[in-house]
Amino acid sequence: MSSSNPRITGIRTFLMQAGPLGASAWGDVKTSIVTVTRNWLFVKVETDCGITGIGEGSGWPRVVDTAVQDLANVVVGEDAFAIERLWQKMHVAIMGHGNSGVVGQGAIGAIDMALWDIKGKALGVPVWQLLGGKVRDRVRAYAHASTPDAARAAVARGHTALKTGGVKNPVEKAHAIRDAVGADIDLMIDLHGPPWLQAPDAIAYCNELAPLSPLFVEEPVAPEDLDGYRRVRRMTNVPLASGERHGGLWGVAPLLNEGLIDVAQPDTARAGGLTGLRKIAAVAEARFATVAPHAGSLGPVAEFAAIHLLAAIPNALILEKMDPDWPGRGQTVTIEPELRDGHLTVPDTPGLGVDIHEDFVAAHPSVRNVGLASGGWPPGTEGATLYSQPRWPRAPSVRKG
């Protein structure tokens, strides 16, 4: 450890409400996410040489904020270049509190992301250079569409890949969108994995979706239902994707190690940072799986981190893109990635290549970060809001029309 390397002198957090409050309609995959309870948590790590790094933490940002401030006690004073060692040290620091989950991984990840930014700035190179160098100059992205009209509009903006789905009529919706955009557009279907979507129904959905040649079917069952994934894998032949609700490497690894998914979807800001993402990508590569990071709840800093990671790994598939999104997204940061022909250009500036406008963030203080989803519950049960419950009536939920 060189004494000339920058040393961490402090950590500041910036929590904001990202868009208007509202209920999340998880019965549908919207064209954009503008009326949910999103919070964005940005983290700045300061050093004694004047270089500041930016990161972002997700999972449960209002709680992650507190976790970051607690972890500051074990990283302030440390060598900012010792990224892997500090990643390990932060895990040891929270070990006594149980499995870290998305809150722990979100906090570790926010600090870790900022450390990569610091190192890139100090050495005058983009983060992708630190990750091994570019294997591609642009990263493919996909948009969301819930109707044929929205799908056609996304294609008109240059997108060549779309995701639809939801927990209500996903098969009917996917067939309608495929008819609208034709066979040349890659289509993904998100089933959202609610606990009442059990393996037999998930299998029926996947088999109905197979003729559409989906790029992948996402979260066919609940993330806790490992045996359900095994059953779906045995009884279907569509590519399966999952990982956005899992915390870090050890959350996603069981799905990859058993070959239960073809596409890992780690959430960029709840996967343990770029260090965690790189480890997940390596496990996926060993299993001949690809990586398509989740970005639905994330802010613009985490998006830049994902672009750097996907630019530097061989098994990058695609990146989720909120297009369009809340207009304030662009005002939150100093620059947005260029979207052209369905791809995001990989930045060449040192570090992550992005910073936040602190005044704009401060003008949008956090109000709340939890909400109850509406739509798509089994009939008559939405008011009870039960996590585990039977799915009934069954027949209408699995037929195409």
Side-chain angles (χ1 to χ4, degrees):
M1 182 171 63
S2 171
S3 59
S4 63
N5 290 342
R7 305 196 79 81
I8 300 170
T9 57
I11 297 179
R12 293 187 292 149
T13 60
F14 304 82
L15 183 66
M16 71 179 294
Q17 196 78 37
L21 289 172
S24 173
W26 74 337
D28 204 356
V29 172
K30 296 297 183 183
T31 302
S32 61
I33 297 180
V34 294
T35 56
V36 292
T37 56
R38 281 188 305 176
N39 276 212
W40 291 337
L41 175 71
F42 305 110
V43 170
K44 286 196 173 183
V45 175
E46 300 169 330
T47 65
D48 59 1
C49 70
I51 296 176
T52 298
I54 186 74
E56 184 181 338
S58 181
W60 191 353
R62 284 172 65 97
V63 182
V64 174
D65 187 5
T66 299
V68 168
Q69 294 174 43
D70 210 21
L71 281 172
N73 296 297
V74 300
V75 298
V76 168
E78 293 279 2
D79 177 0
F81 278 12
I83 298 174
E84 176 67 32
R85 189 177 69 81
L86 291 180
W87 193 85
Q88 299 285 339
K89 184 178 183 180
M90 288 187 284
H91 277 87
V92 171
I94 65 177
M95 182 175 64
H97 300 289
N99 291 337
S100 61
V102 295
V103 170
Q105 294 299 331
I108 290 172
I111 295 171
D112 176 89
M113 199 180 296
L115 295 178
W116 284 97
D117 189 36
I118 288 169
K119 195 165 191 176
K121 290 174 179 175
L123 299 178
V125 297
V127 166
W128 53 257
Q129 193 72 270
L130 304 177
L131 294 170
K134 279 195 292 188
V135 298
R136 58 185 59 82
D137 293 320
R138 59 182 195 162
V139 170
R140 195 180 186 201
Y142 67 85
H144 290 187
S146 60
T147 66
D149 285 345
R152 283 187 285 262
V155 172
R157 294 196 302 274
H159 284 286
T160 61
L162 305 172
K163 187 164 80 177
T164 190
V167 298
K168 184 178 181 181
N169 301 323
V171 174
E172 179 182 15
K173 193 180 308 175
H175 277 267
I177 287 177
R178 171 61 82 204
D179 290 342
V181 300
D184 293 334
I185 299 298
D186 274 320
L187 186 61
M188 294 146 279
I189 301 94
D190 186 358
L191 300 182
H192 284 304
W196 57 84
L197 182 54
Q198 297 170 340
D201 289 346
I203 291 166
Y205 277 145
C206 288
N207 289 337
E208 289 277 4
L209 293 167
L212 301 179
S213 299
L215 190 62
F216 57 73
V217 175
E218 180 177 341
E219 288 198 322
V221 293
E224 302 91 343
D225 189 4
L226 198 61
D227 190 59
Y229 274 97
R230 297 185 184 108
R231 295 170 67 187
V232 174
R233 171 57 91 197
R234 286 195 301 267
M235 300 299 293
T236 65
N237 61 4
V238 296
L240 300 177
S242 187
E244 70 178 54
R245 288 190 277 172
H246 294 77
L249 169 65
W250 297 281
V252 182
L255 295 170
L256 289 166
N257 289 336
E258 287 196 43
L260 301 179
I261 56 173
D262 306 280
V263 182
Q265 296 177 291
D267 184 298
T268 309
R270 67 178 76 141
L274 278 161
T275 300
L277 283 170
R278 187 171 62 166
K279 292 173 187 287
I280 291 170
V283 174
E285 183 181 0
R287 298 296 307 183
F288 298 95
T290 56
V291 179
H294 170 255
S297 61
L298 300 185
V301 172
E303 182 176 56
F304 268 80
I307 293 171
H308 282 272
L309 185 279
L310 295 178
I313 62 173
N315 54 331
L317 179 64
I318 199 165
L319 177 63
E320 183 174 24
K321 174 69 176 173
M322 296 297 102
D323 174 36
D325 196 0
W326 174 52
R329 184 186 186 99
Q331 297 172 265
T332 301
V333 286
T334 54
I335 188 172
E336 288 194 281
E338 180 186 9
L339 178 65
R340 180 182 299 178
D341 299 328
H343 290 75
L344 295 164
T345 302
V346 177
D348 287 320
T349 48
L352 291 175
V354 66
D355 202 348
I356 60 171
H357 290 298
E358 295 182 17
D359 289 344
F360 185 80
V361 173
H364 295 79
S366 171
V367 178
R368 64 181 172 93
N369 197 190
V370 294
L372 295 173
S374 63
W377 296 79
T381 69
E382 183 165 331
T385 58
L386 302 175
Y387 187 72
S388 296
Q389 60 173 298
R391 185 180 181 92
W392 54 266
R394 179 171 181 269
S397 71
V398 295
R399 67 180 179 229
K400 174 183 172 183

